[in-house]
Amino acid sequence: MKIVIDKAIPFIEGVLEPYAEVVYKDGEDICRSDIINADAMIIRTRTKCDGKLLRGTAVKMIATATIGTDHIDLDYCNRHHIFTKNAAGCNSGGVVNYVFSALYGIASRKSISLTDATIGIIGVGNVGHKVEMAARSLGFKVLLNDPPRAEIEGGSQFCDLDYLLANSDIVTLHVPSNKRTHNLADEKFFAKMKVGAFFINAARGDIVKEKALLNAIPKLGPVVIDTWKNEPDINRALMDKVDIATPHIAGYSYQGKQLGTSMTVRGIARFFGITDLYDFFPEATDKGLEAVKLEFRDKSQGEIASTIQYNYPIFTDDFMFRMKPDKFEELRKEYNYRREFYID
């Protein structure tokens, strides 16, 4: 058996070698000749798995160590009986940490009160649900928009998008990338938002129409962007205007990377019957990065802001990106994974 693996995936080197021939490559450099005789691939978002790459190969399974699958042509895979497995929810804790570090960090810098603020969460899946739970614990009012869930569960806990935009002090995106969400945040979207409202995108770059966001920035409050159209060739004009800019690292926590690798290896193991790896989980080699539960004495905004910033100083990531905006992929590959924190 042969497996081709994106070498940027952490904790995986040496795991599958006893059971297969393993080839490691940069994800963006994986080409058809690499996988022509491969049985499986373990990838990230930088490997575009479509017919051009996969046609005529021996690939039977693709496991991606990401929550999203927009880099995989699922229709092609289904038609050609290629099984796909993603790591749903693996980075949700890291993204929650990112959202609240950004939110409290900017509020502290700009002396913005978050008392009685309403946070509107668009997309209430693995990530959005955890953002909701943390927001409620911290005393925010919460509005939820998730049409697919509302269709299945009924609309009582959800609101329509127009209502959310008109009544939220903070709008944060957590939807997948698909035809329904492409350019969701367009001119009409931003026109409906409250003057001075926060806008956060740590989901996917193509959800936001960047020209519309640029035009809306004078009306909006703080803007936080982690995911961009045309990565790694980002919109520098937009970067210059936003309050926090980062290179698609919102979910880059130590625990998230452990979980993502675990889910991909387990998927490969179960598909190919490698029983020794059915319950694989990477060993935590850095004890200083163990997850921590945050404790607050009085939950004042200042105390929350300082505690969260101590555990994840997000402005460091923003600074490093602005210093090297042309090193998007390098910053991601060399990122020092941060430990997750939890808020009850």
Side-chain angles (χ1 to χ4, degrees):
M1 182 167 63
K2 179 180 177 181
I3 303 173
V4 176
I5 300 177
D6 182 329
K7 69 180 184 181
I9 295 173
F11 312 115
I12 200 167
E13 187 171 352
V15 174
L16 288 158
E17 277 79 347
Y19 313 97
E21 175 192 352
V22 179
V23 176
Y24 295 95
K25 289 200 68 174
D26 286 319
E28 56 270 32
D29 294 335
I30 293 173
C31 61
R32 189 169 173 273
S33 61
D34 296 318
I35 62 170
I36 194 74
N37 296 315
D39 298 279
M41 303 168 64
I42 301 179
I43 60 168
R44 302 179 305 136
T45 57
R46 290 306 183 254
T47 304
K48 307 302 179 185
C49 293
D50 54 15
K52 182 179 179 181
L53 178 69
L54 297 168
R55 190 170 292 110
T57 70
V59 173
K60 303 175 185 68
M61 180 182 180
I62 300 170
T64 180
T66 63
I67 62 172
T69 57
D70 46 297
H71 53 299
I72 302 173
D73 186 337
L74 297 177
D75 289 338
Y76 179 91
C77 290
N78 288 335
R79 291 196 309 271
H80 293 82
H81 310 291
I82 299 172
F83 183 74
T84 59
K85 175 76 170 67
N86 68 324
C90 69
N91 71 347
S92 56
V95 176
V96 173
N97 293 174
Y98 179 95
V99 167
F100 288 99
S101 181
L103 181 56
Y104 278 95
I106 294 172
S108 179
R109 280 194 171 186
K110 296 197 166 188
S111 299
I112 298 172
S113 174
L114 298 175
T115 303
D116 295 324
T118 297
I119 182 167
I121 303 169
I122 302 174
V124 197
N126 285 309
V127 178
H129 175 66
K130 287 189 178 180
V131 171
E132 176 197 358
M133 295 298 99
R136 293 189 188 281
S137 178
L138 291 167
F140 289 93
K141 300 171 185 175
V142 177
L143 293 175
L144 306 175
N145 173 260
D146 192 313
R149 279 191 60 186
E151 290 173 9
I152 296 169
E153 302 170 27
S156 60
Q157 64 176 315
F158 303 102
C159 65
D160 65 37
L161 184 60
D162 288 355
Y163 184 87
L164 181 147
L165 295 175
N167 291 278
S168 296
D169 303 294
I170 302 137
V171 174
T172 183
L173 299 178
H174 300 289
V175 295
S177 172
N178 54 41
K179 292 179 181 178
R180 187 174 190 170
T181 62
H182 181 71
N183 283 338
L184 172 69
D186 59 8
E187 291 86 355
K188 292 180 180 178
F189 179 103
F190 292 115
K192 293 169 184 175
M193 285 181 62
K194 293 175 68 173
V195 173
F198 287 69
F199 177 73
I200 303 172
N201 182 21
R204 282 291 186 268
D206 64 2
I207 297 165
V208 177
K209 191 173 180 180
E210 291 184 343
K211 184 176 180 181
L213 175 55
L214 267 169
N215 291 335
I217 280 177
K219 164 194 171 175
L220 299 177
V223 175
V224 179
I225 302 294
D226 180 60
T227 55
W228 310 75
K229 271 187 167 64
N230 304 315
E231 294 175 6
D233 300 317
I234 67 154
N235 187 328
R236 299 285 187 90
L238 180 59
M239 181 186 197
D240 290 342
K241 295 288 187 181
V242 304
D243 295 84
I244 291 179
T246 49
H248 202 154
I249 48 76
Y252 274 32
S253 70
Y254 192 78
Q255 286 72 30
K257 292 303 177 182
Q258 282 183 294
L259 187 56
T261 298
S262 168
M263 293 171 79
T264 57
V265 170
R266 291 183 185 192
I268 291 285
R270 291 185 181 278
F271 185 85
F272 291 104
I274 307 171
T275 56
D276 292 348
L277 298 177
Y278 278 9
D279 298 315
F280 170 77
F281 195 86
E283 181 182 354
T285 56
D286 191 334
K287 301 303 181 183
L289 290 175
E290 292 174 339
V292 61
K293 177 182 174 182
L294 299 191
E295 303 284 353
F296 305 109
R297 294 186 304 276
D298 55 17
K299 283 195 175 180
S300 67
Q301 183 171 323
E303 182 196 15
I304 294 171
S306 61
T307 303
I308 290 177
Q309 286 298 307
Y310 174 80
N311 283 275
Y312 175 26
I314 195 170
F315 291 108
T316 300
D317 285 344
D318 171 80
F319 174 78
M320 294 300 294
F321 189 30
R322 293 182 193 276
M323 290 290 289
K324 298 179 178 180
D326 58 331
K327 302 295 184 182
F328 193 97
E329 294 294 356
E330 181 180 312
L331 289 166
R332 298 182 82 219
K333 289 176 182 176
E334 297 179 359
Y335 191 79
N336 291 319
Y337 301 127
R338 58 189 187 268
R339 71 176 182 178
E340 288 184 15
F341 59 80
Y342 298 92
I343 302 168
D344 286 339

